[in-house]
Amino acid sequence: MPILRFNITMSLDGYVAGPNQSVKDPLGEGGEKLHEWAVASRAFHKMHGTDGGEVGPDDAIIEETFRNLGATIMGRNMFGGGHGPWGKDPWRGWWGENPPYHTPVFVLTRHAREPLEMQGGTTFYFVTDGIQSALERAKKAAGAKDVSLAGGADVAQQYMKAGLIDEMELHVVPLLLGAGSRLFENMDARQAGFELIRTVQSPLVSHYKYRRVEM
């Protein structure tokens, strides 16, 4: 059965982005360092149409993360472009004309916008009627494949609180950011219903995979 899978990289002190996020620093000050392990992998290079990259446990994790996905969900902040109405020349994302998703992507926003078709099979759909609607549309688009919840922190918290995430993988980097956007805010025992099913270690990052259990 298709499931909703969430994966995200976080610092050792729990932040998924640094302070002062902006168009110049979409992951906040110091936030780019969180993803150095992924950028170094061969799988990351392949997704972005370039050669090279390292193989090993981190590369295998990236390959698995993007396997069997039929749709993606993300928040407005992750897609980018600031807040408020989209304007006459709306933002087209951080990834250029060929984003690495290659699936339909459902962007949660308060402001309506026509779908944005990109190269490589990625089309962004802008969902204004909440997380349940986005998940229903994503599952329909994905067919027999899984749905990826890409983030950021606020959207992930909403799905966790609603009990909608089936699998979660946290990539913990031994970096202290000290401030920024924290993943686990305002949570309680009802949202902690996950069991650890796998750990993978590398010199750059520790990977923890969890599966939802009934509380």
Side-chain angles (χ1 to χ4, degrees):
M1 177 182 294
I3 61 173
L4 179 62
R5 293 155 45 189
F6 170 56
N7 89 90
I8 199 165
T9 298
M10 61 191 295
S11 65
L12 193 60
D13 51 350
Y15 295 98
V16 298
N20 303 317
Q21 289 176 263
S22 65
V23 173
K24 180 182 177 181
D25 291 309
L27 291 174
E29 296 170 4
E32 292 289 341
K33 295 180 180 179
L34 290 171
H35 300 279
E36 289 178 351
W37 71 271
V39 173
S41 71
R42 183 177 63 180
F44 183 92
H45 282 255
K46 183 179 178 181
M47 284 189 299
H48 289 80
T50 59
D51 297 325
E54 300 175 5
V55 298
D58 297 336
D59 177 67
I61 290 290
I62 294 287
E63 287 276 11
E64 181 186 86
T65 295
F66 286 90
R67 189 179 301 139
N68 195 45
L69 292 180
T72 303
I73 299 170
M74 68 174 60
R76 166 83 183 258
N77 283 349
M78 184 169 180
F79 180 76
H83 302 283
W86 293 100
K88 294 182 179 180
D89 185 20
W91 176 259
R92 296 176 64 85
W94 302 105
W95 307 277
E97 293 302 307
N98 188 8
Y101 299 99
H102 312 300
T103 68
V105 179
F106 297 87
V107 180
L108 287 153
T109 176
R110 293 186 176 89
H111 301 278
R113 178 175 170 180
E114 291 298 312
L116 175 61
E117 185 174 353
M118 310 292 280
Q119 298 175 16
T122 301
T123 298
F124 293 100
Y125 297 92
F126 300 91
V127 181
T128 59
D129 51 351
I131 63 171
Q132 289 277 6
S133 175
L135 182 56
E136 290 170 6
R137 292 178 62 180
K139 284 187 172 181
K140 183 176 180 180
K145 295 185 177 182
D146 294 336
V147 176
S148 170
L149 178 60
D154 179 67
V155 167
Q157 289 164 17
Q158 293 180 55
Y159 277 96
M160 275 191 275
K161 290 177 181 179
L164 296 173
I165 296 174
D166 299 299
E167 286 187 359
M168 173 172 66
E169 188 147 22
L170 305 178
H171 314 290
V172 181
V173 175
L175 170 70
L176 300 176
L177 286 177
S181 179
R182 191 186 290 273
L183 178 60
F184 296 110
E185 289 281 6
N186 305 313
M187 309 299 283
D188 60 35
R190 292 174 300 168
Q191 288 96 49
F194 291 90
E195 62 175 349
L196 181 66
I197 61 173
R198 185 185 70 192
T199 60
V200 176
Q201 309 287 332
S202 85
L204 298 178
V205 59
S206 299
H207 309 278
Y208 300 91
K209 187 173 184 177
Y210 296 84
R211 181 175 296 144
R212 173 161 289 284
V213 295
E214 296 297 328
M215 296 293 289

